[in-house]
Amino acid sequence: MRTATITRTTAETDITVELNLDGTGTYDNQTGVGFFDHMLDQLSRHALIDMTVRAKGDLHIDDHHTVEDVGIALGQALTQAMGDKKGIVRYGSCHLAMDDTLVRAALDLSARPYLCWELPFPTHKIGSFDVELVREFFQAFSTHGGITLHVDLIRGLNSHHIAEAAFKAVARALRDALETDPRKADAIPSTKGAL
């Protein structure tokens, strides 16, 4: 079973993440940031990763530390749960349509983190949520998950739709990349022999 539990405690946040990569998309995410919880729910549901997140952060300052540190902990949990990555497909991509919005995500579970982010938002906020935190989350997640991740906005008018489409597109790409390759279930998907 590909599972992991990560606890991260700093002066700014106290976070516990539980992941099951072979789940059904069951989620229970409570960070104190409503819109962010909604996005984490989308990530879990569409990647078919069971996910529980508990986060207490310095929200009296702003949401930044909580969102970024959840990204760090989720990335660490993903890395731990994947283990040696034997048998995974490794690559995934998705074009995700949501109303006015079309987002493309492509990723490689390479252990070589890199984020290419071309996702402009037409507004600075979604409710009280700063849209710049969407990138901060994915930067932390890709860095600590060892993911090469490209996210591009092809078109979109509504900031909520753009953010949600990004989370769903990454989720679907991640779901594909984490699947077991039936033709190479006993091999690490690299000519190097390690990822």
Side-chain angles (χ1 to χ4, degrees), residues 130-187:
D130 291 324
V131 296
E132 67 183 11
L133 296 181
V134 177
R135 186 189 189 284
E136 289 299 320
F137 168 79
F138 282 112
Q139 181 68 68
F141 181 60
S142 64
T143 297
H144 293 271
I147 305 167
T148 299
L149 176 60
H150 294 251
V151 183
D152 299 287
L153 177 65
I154 296 171
R155 67 182 57 89
L157 301 171
N158 179 286
S159 291
H160 187 130
H161 295 164
I162 292 167
E164 188 165 337
F167 273 85
K168 288 177 176 177
V170 171
R172 291 298 303 212
L174 190 59
R175 174 180 170 180
D176 290 348
L178 288 168
E179 288 294 317
T180 300
D181 187 338
R183 296 172 64 191
K184 282 288 188 178
D186 60 345

Side-chain angles (χ1 to χ4, degrees), residues 58-63 65:
D58 54 2
L59 300 180
H60 62 285
I61 295 173
D62 67 9
D63 300 340
H65 297 141

Side-chain angles (χ1 to χ4, degrees), residues 19-56:
L19 291 185
N20 175 0
L21 303 185
D22 301 305
T24 59
T26 301
Y27 52 83
D28 184 6
N29 301 309
Q30 297 177 28
T31 67
V33 183
F35 180 77
F36 184 48
D37 289 347
H38 179 49
M39 295 300 100
L40 293 175
D41 295 349
Q42 301 306 319
L43 187 64
S44 171
R45 173 64 184 87
H46 294 282
L48 294 184
I49 294 173
D50 293 347
M51 181 188 303
T52 300
V53 176
R54 292 291 182 273
K56 293 181 181 175

